[in-house]
Amino acid sequence: MPSTARWTWPSTTTSSSPTPTRLDPNALSVIVRPVLEDPERVVAVGGTIRIANSCRFEAGRMVETRVPQNRLAAFQAVEYLRAFLFGRLGWDAINSLMIVSGAFGLFRRDVLVEAGGYWAETVGEDLELTIRLHRHMRDRGVDYRVAYAPDPVCWTEVPEDAATLGRQRRRWHRGLWESLWSHRGMFCRPRYGAPGMVALPYLLVFEFGGPLIEALAWIMFPIGLAFRMVDPRLVAAFVICAWLLGTLATVAACSLEETGYRMYRRPRELAHLLVLALCENFGYRQLMDGFRLAAIGSLVMRRRRSWGAMPRRGFGAV
């Protein structure tokens, strides 16, 4: 295992939430595999975050995985599966992983210090730091890799009420904008490779701008239908294709979970995940878009930045 004098990982506790995360027993030994395989190039490694709500823990260890009983938490379990087992695996393939989650990440200490460490001027410090690492290494002209290790798992408790979830997602969206704005000099510049040419434009258009595009569609489609400017069959086909595409990505992530990791051992748990994958586009997705639109509104109004209260029940209660 690499010397801890050279590598570091952030704390998994905060003052406002004493036990928000738990690591699998072998998580630290597994997350260093990319380092052992490529010690000269790897500067950071991100692990997988899973949902702890409704899971059973004994002596701080997860002993039984369950799909959360709370509906909001259950949809987040599907969302996390898609983000980590589908999205981050893809970005890792082109060395464009743009976030090493603050809950569970490994960083090469000398590079972390050279790049300036965590930046306290944003509420999305893990995203901003990962983008800055890409920028720092490419500015130096050094061959490097920011890797994703899907095997090690960090279990975290997610919000179970809309108010807390809304505060979290507004903070995430604000942090996304702050990170993109801080590193706007990387956009579409060949010297920054795939991170600057592909990943950052994707984050801007689809992640940050996605809620605006969807809100505009919800406004324009009815207007177009009312004035017979668009074909109803075209609108229906578009909506169905969008739903199928999103569902396919989620089902693919659930399939990777079943074939590769089997965290959810009961057939009914997997069936529950698939039902959630089919239903999340009807209500949950619109709720998330509403939270992100509210974050954009607060940015426009220049309202005060805040982490907000994030109450947790703790692992003794899940």
Side-chain angles (χ1 to χ4, degrees):
M1 182 172 179
S3 168
T4 55
R6 192 183 183 196
W7 291 85
T8 186
W9 46 82
S11 170
T12 56
T13 62
T14 64
S15 59
S16 62
S17 184
T19 57
T21 59
R22 285 288 183 268
L23 298 180
D24 275 351
N26 64 340
L28 295 181
S29 61
V30 176
I31 199 172
V32 299
R33 284 179 183 172
V35 179
L36 298 176
E37 294 169 355
D38 195 356
E40 298 302 321
R41 295 177 63 239
V42 174
V43 298
V45 186
T48 295
I49 312 297
R50 294 290 187 94
I51 306 304
N53 302 54
S54 298
C55 295
R56 188 163 63 90
F57 288 80
E58 292 181 1
R61 294 188 177 187
M62 196 279 295
V63 295
E64 184 179 1
T65 309
R66 301 170 182 165
V67 175
Q69 297 177 357
N70 177 271
R71 185 172 300 176
L72 277 179
F75 278 121
Q76 290 174 79
V78 173
E79 186 181 21
Y80 275 53
L81 278 176
R82 181 175 60 247
F84 284 91
L85 295 184
F86 191 82
R88 299 198 184 186
L89 277 174
W91 289 117
D92 177 57
I94 59 172
N95 195 24
S96 295
L97 184 65
M98 304 309 286
I99 179 169
V100 172
S101 296
F104 187 33
L106 180 68
F107 297 90
R108 212 175 88 182
R109 181 172 299 188
D110 58 336
V111 175
L112 184 66
V113 172
E114 286 177 6
Y118 275 104
W119 186 39
E121 299 303 316
T122 179
V123 293
E125 70 285 344
D126 48 1
L127 172 65
E128 190 281 328
L129 173 60
T130 310
I131 297 174
R132 182 153 34 94
L133 286 176
H134 282 284
R135 186 171 192 171
H136 176 73
M137 298 305 290
R138 289 186 177 272
D139 282 341
R140 292 177 59 199
V142 177
D143 190 20
Y144 75 102
R145 184 184 171 208
V146 175
Y148 170 60
D151 295 318
V153 171
C154 171
W155 297 91
T156 190
E157 186 181 348
V158 298
E160 295 189 343
D161 62 276
T164 305
L165 180 59
R167 286 193 295 269
Q168 181 195 65
R169 297 311 171 94
R170 290 193 295 271
R171 184 180 73 246
W172 285 3
H173 212 61
R174 174 184 283 274
L176 172 60
W177 172 253
E178 291 171 347
S179 300
L180 294 175
W181 181 254
S182 297
H183 299 284
R184 59 192 181 277
M186 295 177 64
F187 275 77
C188 300
R189 296 184 64 182
R191 69 176 295 180
Y192 293 110
M197 298 293 291
V198 180
L200 288 179
Y202 172 87
L203 289 177
L204 177 63
V205 175
F206 295 102
E207 293 294 336
F208 183 79
L212 293 172
I213 296 172
E214 291 197 30
L216 183 62
W218 282 110
I219 295 172
M220 295 305 298
F221 276 163
I223 294 175
L225 289 172
F227 288 93
R228 298 183 179 180
M229 299 171 62
V230 295
D231 187 338
R233 293 172 296 180
L234 179 63
V235 174
F238 178 85
V239 171
I240 292 173
C241 287
W243 173 68
L244 288 176
L245 182 61
T247 302
L248 179 62
T250 305
V251 170
C254 292
S255 299
L256 285 173
E257 151 63 29
E258 171 64 14
T259 57
Y261 304 101
R262 295 186 63 84
M263 290 289 185
Y264 301 99
R265 298 184 181 278
R266 299 177 181 177
R268 66 181 181 183
E269 298 281 337
L270 185 61
H272 190 183
L273 288 175
L274 293 176
V275 170
L276 291 168
L278 294 172
C279 296
E280 69 169 334
N281 286 296
F282 304 99
Y284 180 76
R285 181 186 180 95
Q286 289 72 34
L287 180 64
M288 297 302 103
D289 284 342
F291 292 149
R292 296 193 291 172
L293 286 171
I296 294 173
S298 68
L299 284 167
V300 173
M301 300 297 292
R302 297 185 177 181
R303 292 176 181 169
R304 181 177 63 88
R305 295 180 303 172
S306 173
W307 272 79
M310 295 292 290
R312 301 175 188 264
R313 293 192 300 168
F315 286 93
V318 293

